[in-house]
Amino acid sequence: MKSLDVIAAVLVVVGAANWGLVGVANFDLVATIFGMGFGQTSVLSSVVYGLVGLAGLYQALLWKNIRSRWQGTPAFAGSR
């Protein structure tokens, strides 16, 4: 499961970087990687955006379990 955590974290960082570039520099990194202009999409870029969204949901909904896995404490343990 830790490898899934790492993949999800990388995708979340990619998504955050892309949105940061869109907001600050009006530059769409994902579109550029796939040879398209700002705001254009293709099947591949849609897959990337979908995976980023799923990774964000995974991180948001399971953050306590993820944290427990990396800290070595049980997910059901009380907060400290």
Side-chain angles (χ1 to χ4, degrees):
M1 289 297 284
K2 283 189 174 184
S3 54
L4 182 60
D5 297 341
V6 171
I7 292 167
V10 167
L11 286 169
V12 168
V13 169
V14 167
N18 192 60
W19 278 111
L21 287 169
V22 167
V24 172
N26 202 29
F27 178 76
D28 189 342
L29 179 63
V30 175
T32 301
I33 289 171
F34 291 108
M36 297 174 297
F38 183 83
Q40 292 180 322
T41 59
S42 69
V43 172
L44 288 176
S45 65
S46 293
V47 168
V48 170
Y49 291 132
L51 289 174
V52 167
L54 288 173
L57 284 174
Y58 172 82
Q59 294 267 323
L61 297 175
L62 300 175
W63 72 272
K64 280 189 176 183
N65 294 339
I66 294 167
R67 191 182 77 178
S68 295
R69 270 195 294 278
W70 287 87
Q71 291 181 345
T73 58
F76 54 85
S79 61
R80 296 178 184 172

